[in-house]
Structure formats: C-alpha cells, structure tokens
Amino acid sequence: MAQDLKTTELAILGLLARRPWSAYELTQYMRTSNIRAIWPRAESRLYEAPKKLARLGYASTEIATVGKRSRTIYSINQKGLEALTTWMGEDSRPFGFEYEALLKLALGDVGDSRHRLSQLATLERQSDEDWATLAAFFQQFASGESEEPSADRQVQNLLVNSFIRELLDARRRWSGVAAAINAEYSACTTEAEKSAMVRRFYAALLHGDAPQGDGDG
Amino acid sequence: MAQDLKTTELAILGLLARRPWSAYELTQYMRTSNIRAIWPRAESRLYEAPKKLARLGYASTEIATVGKRSRTIYSINQKGLEALTTWMGEDSRPFGFEYEALLKLALGDVGDSRHRLSQLATLERQSDEDWATLAAFFQQFASGESEEPSADRQVQNLLVNSFIRELLDARRRWSGVAAAINAEYSACTTEAEKSAMVRRFYAALLHGDAPQGDGDG
DNA sequence: TGGGCAATACTCCTGTTAGGAGTAACCAAC
DNA sequence: GTTGGTTACTCCTAACAGGAGTATTGCCCA
C-alpha cells in the first residue's frame, strides 16, 4: 500500500473520492461531521494533508476563483483511488480512547472518598452533556432535514452514529454501575470485606449478561 | 494551576504521589496498567515527562545504583503535590476516541455493500478480540492474584475496569445493532423506503430504552 | 458611499506526541 | 567466556494540537 500515507491522509482521500474539495471546505465540513467524532484532527491538519497528497501524486490541484477570491481545489486521481481501495482492505488499528476525568479517578490516591464522589459526578455530568449534544445532532437525521445525497450515505451515517450512541449509553450506564460499586464499597467495614466485594464485582464483570451481539461474538 | 504541565505530566505526578519511580519502572508498569487504556502514551513520553517535572521543580531526582547499574529515581515534592491537587479539582477534557475501522465504514463510498459487510465483520472481530484480552486481564483481579496494596486501590481499579468493560459491551452490542440495520436496509427496494427506514432507526436511537443510569441523568 | 464586521482562505508557531529503533552496559544462564 | 535478554535510557522524523495570526473579500447598514 501507500506506505507514505497516514490514516488522516487516507481519510481525506476518502472524502475526495466523493467530490473535489478545497481545504477550507474540508474544515467547514468537519466541524459538523461525525467523522470528527471518530477520527478527531486539528483543522490545520486539513490544510496539510491535501497538500501532501498532491505533492506525493495522489491528488491533483486546481486554482479556482470565486468572485475575486481564489481557492485551491483538490481532486483524487487514479493513484489516490488505488491507495484508498488498498487501505480499505487492510487491517485497521484498534479502537482507542482517552478520558482525562477517568484518569483522575484512576489516580485518585491524593483524595479521599469525597474525591472519588466528585470524579464520579464529573464523569456522569460529562456523559449527560454529551448525550444532550448528540441528541440535538441526531435530530436533523430523524427529521430528514439532513441533506445526505443518497440512501447509502444515510445508512453509513446511521451506522456510525449508532456506534457513537452505544458508547454514550455505555458511559451513562457505567455511571449507575459506578454509583452502585461505590455505595456497596462504602458500606463495607473491614479490608477483607472490601476485597471480597471487589472480587465479587469482577466475577460479575466476567460473567455478567452477555451483551446482545450477532452470531458467534 | 501549573499552566506549564500537560495532562501526561500530571498523570505521572499522580503515580509519583504513590511512591518514587524510575522512568524505566514507569514504562514497565504502564505495559500492564489500565491507565494505558484510558490515557495511552508512547513509552518515550514516560522518560520525557519526569525529566520535565524535575526541570520545572515539581519533582526531585536521585541517582540510585542497583548492582553496577545506575538509574534515576523521581520523587514528587510539595510543589508537585499542590499541582496534582489543583489538577484533580479542575474541569477535565471530554471523552474522546479514534477508531480506524469505523472511519473506513464511514468513508465507504468506494465500496459496495460487500465493503460494508467486510467492515462490519472487522469491527465485530476486533471487539471480540478486545473482549478476550480484557477478560484475561480481569482474571487476576477476580482471583485476587493482583497485588494491589489496599482495598481503596482495588476499588479504583474496579471502577476504571468496569468503565472499559462497558465500552467493550457497547461495541459488541453495536455489532448486533449494525447487523440488524444492514439487514433491514438491504431488504428495502426503493430510495424512499430506505430513507424512511433510516429515519425510523434514528427515532429509535433518540427514544430507545434509556440506559440504566443514576439519578437525574 | 464608506465603514465595520464576519467570512473566507489560508499560514504560522511552539511544543507534544508516536513509534519504535538504536545504543550500550549489565546480568544470568549455559 | 559467550550469548542472549534485560535494563535504562536517547534519538529521530514527521504527525499532531491548538489555536492565533494574517490579509483580502464581501455584505450589510447607516
């Protein structure tokens, strides 16, 4: 494959496969796209990546004029399409996340149980806020106002958005689980009781309800 | 707060608050810690960050000798403890993730429905593999083999690990949801039917079973 | 008609970060 | 004594964050 292309560049090729874009259009699009939720990158990257694609021969450029303004338009070419197709068929890097509030919970030795409660409250508040934002974002799709050009594009968006929603559900569900863990832990008195309770919860994590999945998962 | 410290440095302060570490010890610890799952950073960072902490006066260093080998030991100091405590009380950056396989699904215009099925299979396989890895990791806690020094540390780990598990559950659950979406979509024949089906699914996403959460979430 | 503000269309800038590879001394086992 | 793995780091380029900065254009309003 194109060893000289990073995932971000390949993602831009994916967008160029849809239609030609200026870099500025890419930045505007990314502000409201769910692609930014699943592959977040700084806006400056959206200027850098198309330039690299053009430099390495995966896209072509053309200077267009709108009114008295000029803009650089990037278009994918055959080499770019081939690189994109190759990338699509390759193994992908795994799921990864980072969460500062959870990091504080994990490192919470400097605090007492009030610290833990404070962090749990932060995590819950953040999941509620993110849910409200997501619900507002989904409204356009539920009402049909969103202008996706084809049903295929709509179902792609739906698949991605439902993934994002499942993660949000998980975070909200976890807030309840965490509150239960904390309550039960606080009700213990001896170290031995506490350790035993922790092991019971792990046993439950390992053998809890299998989530609804398809097939042999 | 310590405006000159990044989250990674503050996380290292959190570990130094537990005990003094060498940077090499930090890299070994991170290989098996759930902290790496929630705040993934390259090993070279674990050499860089303590040096910066020492340079800026948040930690002290001491050269120890083990056999004929020397190593640098970092210890937190009062300034570091204060910076850590301040950080714990501040607002935290939101949850964020990146997922290359989902990105490919989102950009799947170059493919046909077989491409979509292929990506869905990849996403399911990855979640199954990650689940197996996680279950193996949890085994040490369920059996009590893990040597956490205190019950408080155990429950912190449990809270973090249960978060990670909920995310994994969500990914596995989503694979089933995605298969259902794909099946129902494929059974549609007209663009209008497809769009209507997509809108129905969004309505369900918006008004689906509220996940079990605590309180006013 | 001119002024002011927002949009357009970028570049700039420092420091963080990835992602291991590379380096070299030490240590233990054979 | 030698060999391979461990220990304990540094190195290196390019990607990346995170906006701020720059300058022109365009539109709206008085």
Side-chain angles (χ1 to χ4, degrees):
Chain A
M1 77 94 168
Q3 305 275 13
D4 49 357
L5 293 184
K6 295 296 193 182
T7 301
T8 303
E9 283 126 21
L10 289 152
I12 301 299
L13 276 184
L15 290 173
L16 293 182
R18 292 180 183 177
R19 66 168 173 87
W21 302 71
S22 68
Y24 177 72
E25 286 177 314
L26 288 170
T27 68
Q28 298 309 292
Y29 171 74
M30 282 301 190
R31 285 182 186 180
T32 57
S33 170
N34 58 12
I35 293 178
R36 193 174 74 162
I38 71 181
W39 197 260
R41 285 299 177 271
E43 286 198 1
S44 53
R45 290 285 100 209
L46 302 177
Y47 284 90
E48 219 54 47
K51 282 162 71 174
K52 181 179 171 183
L53 289 171
R55 186 174 79 249
L56 296 181
Y58 295 97
S60 61
T61 62
E62 144 196 32
I63 308 298
T65 308
V66 177
K68 293 177 90 178
R69 281 180 165 131
S70 67
R71 57 168 60 163
T72 305
I73 304 293
Y74 297 90
S75 304
I76 198 169
N77 58 18
Q78 190 57 34
K79 184 178 173 185
L81 272 173
E82 286 162 12
L84 181 62
T85 304
T86 302
W87 175 59
M88 288 289 181
E90 287 174 349
D91 268 353
S92 301
R93 283 167 51 188
F95 174 85
F97 72 100
E98 61 174 53
Y99 200 179
E100 192 180 26
L102 191 62
L103 182 65
K104 289 179 179 178
L105 183 68
L107 294 168
D109 296 41
V110 300
D112 50 17
S113 70
R114 283 175 298 165
H115 160 77
R116 194 184 303 140
L117 285 172
S118 173
Q119 294 304 330
L120 291 180
T122 296
L123 286 148
E124 181 172 20
R125 176 178 52 77
Q126 282 187 339
S127 71
D128 289 339
E129 286 168 0
D130 289 349
W131 172 244
T133 301
L134 196 72
F137 178 68
F138 281 2
Q139 205 54 52
Q140 63 185 310
F141 303 113
S143 66
E145 283 170 23
S146 156
E147 292 169 23
E148 293 298 338
S150 70
D152 275 6
R153 184 71 56 77
Q154 288 168 27
V155 81
Q156 271 169 246
N157 263 348
L158 173 62
L159 288 166
V160 172
N161 287 335
S162 63
F163 183 94
I164 294 168
R165 180 189 182 271
E166 286 289 346
L167 290 195
L168 228 307
D169 274 358
R171 287 170 55 198
R172 295 173 85 200
R173 184 172 302 112
W174 176 81
S175 286
V177 167
I181 288 174
N182 198 55
E184 195 157 329
Y185 184 78
S186 300
C188 293
T189 46
T190 67
E191 257 337 70
E193 266 183 45
K194 290 174 175 176
S195 294
M197 171 249 144
V198 163
R199 288 201 297 281
R200 270 201 315 280
F201 265 90
Y202 272 112
L205 290 190
L206 281 165
H207 303 104
D209 293 346
Q212 293 163 333
D214 189 46
D216 53 5
Chain B
M1 77 96 168
Q3 304 275 12
D4 48 359
L5 293 184
K6 293 296 190 181
T7 301
T8 303
E9 284 124 21
L10 289 152
I12 301 300
L13 276 184
L15 291 173
L16 293 181
R18 293 179 182 178
R19 67 168 173 87
W21 303 71
S22 68
Y24 178 71
E25 285 177 314
L26 288 170
T27 67
Q28 297 310 291
Y29 170 76
M30 282 300 189
R31 287 184 183 176
T32 56
S33 169
N34 57 13
I35 293 179
R36 193 174 75 162
I38 71 181
W39 198 261
R41 285 300 177 273
E43 286 198 0
S44 54
R45 291 286 100 207
L46 301 175
Y47 284 90
E48 219 54 46
K51 282 162 70 174
K52 181 178 172 182
L53 290 170
R55 185 174 79 249
L56 296 181
Y58 295 98
S60 60
T61 61
E62 148 196 29
I63 309 298
T65 309
V66 177
K68 294 177 88 179
R69 281 180 171 135
S70 68
R71 57 168 61 161
T72 305
I73 304 292
Y74 297 88
S75 304
I76 198 169
N77 58 18
Q78 190 58 32
K79 184 180 174 185
L81 273 173
E82 285 163 10
L84 181 63
T85 304
T86 302
W87 174 59
M88 288 288 182
E90 285 174 350
D91 269 354
S92 301
R93 283 168 52 185
F95 175 85
F97 72 100
E98 60 174 53
Y99 200 1
E100 192 180 26
L102 192 61
L103 182 64
K104 291 179 178 178
L105 183 68
L107 295 168
D109 296 42
V110 299
D112 49 15
S113 70
R114 282 174 299 163
H115 161 76
R116 194 185 304 139
L117 285 172
S118 172
Q119 294 305 330
L120 291 180
T122 295
L123 286 149
E124 181 172 19
R125 175 177 53 77
Q126 283 188 338
S127 70
D128 290 340
E129 288 168 359
D130 290 349
W131 171 244
T133 301
L134 197 71
F137 178 68
F138 281 2
Q139 204 54 52
Q140 63 184 309
F141 303 114
S143 66
E145 283 170 24
S146 155
E147 292 169 23
E148 292 298 338
S150 71
D152 275 6
R153 185 72 56 75
Q154 289 167 26
V155 81
Q156 273 169 244
N157 263 347
L158 173 62
L159 287 166
V160 172
N161 287 334
S162 62
F163 184 94
I164 294 167
R165 181 191 182 271
E166 286 289 347
L167 290 196
L168 228 309
D169 274 358
R171 287 171 54 199
R172 295 173 86 201
R173 184 174 302 112
W174 176 80
S175 287
V177 167
I181 288 174
N182 197 54
E184 195 157 329
Y185 183 79
S186 299
C188 292
T189 46
T190 68
E191 271 315 86
E193 265 183 47
K194 290 174 175 176
S195 293
M197 170 248 147
V198 164
R199 288 199 299 277
R200 273 200 314 280
F201 265 90
Y202 272 112
L205 290 189
L206 281 164
H207 303 104
D209 293 346
Q212 292 162 337
D214 189 46
D216 53 4

